[in-house]
Amino acid sequence: MNGGRVTPQMDLCSPERARRIARKSPDGEATSNLIFTAGVGTNKDIFPSILKLHVPIRSVVADVTFGKGTFWGNVPKTAYKVKASDIQTGVDCTNLPYKAGVIDCVVFDPPYMEGLFRRSKSHLAGSGTHAAFRRHYSNGEANNGRTKYHAAVLALYFGGASEALRVLKPGGVLIVKCQDEVSANTQHLTHIEIITELESMGFFTKDLFVVVRPNRPGMSRVLRQVHARKNHSYFVVFVKKHGIKEHPSVDPERVNEMVRRRRSEGRFISRAAVP
């Protein structure tokens, strides 16, 4: 408009086009230099990007399964206030020594192999050249709890997440590392089981990252391959919902039932039974 008159140029525009022209152009610039959901690399390659996207600098971060600190290899040491602990330092991830609602972020990477939860010490995974793996991801003892194998994996994830829910501030971030697994000839989509359970606790799922191994994993004593060999894992980013005041306890029998039901649905039909 110009003094109530319509100019020839504006007369050529539709009303919608005129509104678009009048709107302010959005800030920012076009780029492909972004953080993506999937990539080939190691944990220490991917982890800094997750922090950059979801955890503000100078946040208090409790890494409750610290181990050798592999995740932090490419993170500047002064960027975050890291509280490092694991089973070797005497800290149980399901019973943390922090008050409720004081932590900005919890990093949680428990063992996701059912081989570390067997009833006989001689059958535990991580022997020989993998002994260091067993030391940092378990207490090296046989599992005598109320859950075993894949159910024990889930029980540890759920118990640790329940404790993380307690110590996190409202809106705090939980970064969970996990991998799907085959146990007792049954495919368990562990990342989905974890997401489903944690959302029922009081978290919401904010992001998911797929980490593809840069090398080719192998297998020993293979007669016939039945499942695709897993060469990827996940980082799942959760946020504690506001208004959550209590953290639920984990019922081992309910976890056992989850796994029993999944196995009953996933049993193989023998080739002889197929017409």
Side-chain angles (χ1 to χ4, degrees), residues 27 33 46 49 60 86 96 139 149 178 201 209 220 241 273:
D27 295 331
N33 185 22
I46 308 299
S49 296
V60 177
D86 57 36
L96 297 173
N139 60 9
Y149 309 142
C178 62
M201 286 184 181
F209 297 80
S220 61
K241 297 178 183 177

Side-chain angles (χ1 to χ4, degrees), residues 73-101:
N74 292 332
V75 179
K77 295 186 182 300
T78 58
Y80 298 93
K81 300 175 184 177
V82 181
K83 295 180 178 291
S85 64
D86 57 36
I87 200 166
Q88 293 299 307
T89 66
V91 177
D92 182 350
C93 62
T94 64
N95 185 23
L96 297 173
Y98 310 125
K99 294 181 180 179

Side-chain angles (χ1 to χ4, degrees), residues 4-214:
R5 293 181 294 108
V6 178
T7 65
Q9 290 82 2
M10 293 189 67
D11 192 41
L12 296 175
C13 295
S14 67
E16 176 59 30
R17 178 169 170 77
R19 283 194 294 270
R20 289 202 303 269
I21 293 172
R23 283 200 299 262
K24 179 183 176 182
S25 298
D27 295 331
E29 60 184 19
T31 181
S32 60
N33 185 22
L34 302 167
I35 295 172
F36 294 98
T37 58
V40 177
T42 63
N43 291 329
K44 72 176 183 178
D45 296 329
I46 308 299
F47 188 65
S49 296
I50 300 172
L51 293 177
K52 180 180 179 181
L53 199 58
H54 296 293
V55 185
I57 295 294
R58 291 184 290 279
S59 293
V60 177
V61 181
D63 187 336
V64 300
T65 45
F66 189 77
K68 294 184 176 181
T70 304
F71 286 3
W72 299 90
N74 292 332
V75 179
K77 295 186 182 300
T78 58
Y80 298 93
K81 300 175 184 177
V82 181
K83 295 180 178 291
S85 64
D86 57 36
I87 200 166
Q88 293 299 307
T89 66
V91 177
D92 182 350
C93 62
T94 64
N95 185 23
L96 297 173
Y98 310 125
K99 294 181 180 179
V102 297
I103 303 295
D104 297 308
C105 173
V106 172
V107 178
F108 189 35
D109 176 30
Y112 37 76
M113 295 167 44
E114 59 88 7
L116 291 175
F117 297 92
R118 293 175 181 167
R119 294 295 175 91
S120 170
K121 189 172 182 178
S122 62
H123 293 164
L124 289 177
S127 59
T129 58
H130 295 89
F133 178 85
R134 183 193 294 183
R135 283 197 304 271
H136 285 284
Y137 284 90
S138 78
N139 60 9
E141 299 297 327
N143 173 41
N144 295 314
R146 294 170 60 188
T147 55
K148 62 178 182 178
Y149 309 142
H150 186 67
V153 174
L154 292 182
L156 181 54
Y157 268 102
F158 299 165
S162 175
E163 182 68 346
L165 189 70
R166 181 185 70 82
V167 303
L168 281 171
K169 297 176 180 178
V173 174
L174 170 62
I175 302 173
V176 174
K177 181 70 191 305
C178 62
Q179 186 177 39
D180 301 335
E181 73 166 345
V182 175
S183 176
N185 286 337
T186 304
Q187 186 79 243
H188 293 280
L189 300 180
T190 311
H191 77 287
I192 295 177
E193 294 170 322
I194 292 170
I195 289 171
T196 301
E197 182 69 15
L198 268 60
E199 288 193 341
S200 74
M201 286 184 181
F203 289 101
F204 71 84
T205 307
K206 189 176 182 183
D207 220 336
L208 182 144
F209 297 80
V210 181
V211 183
V212 179
R213 290 177 57 163

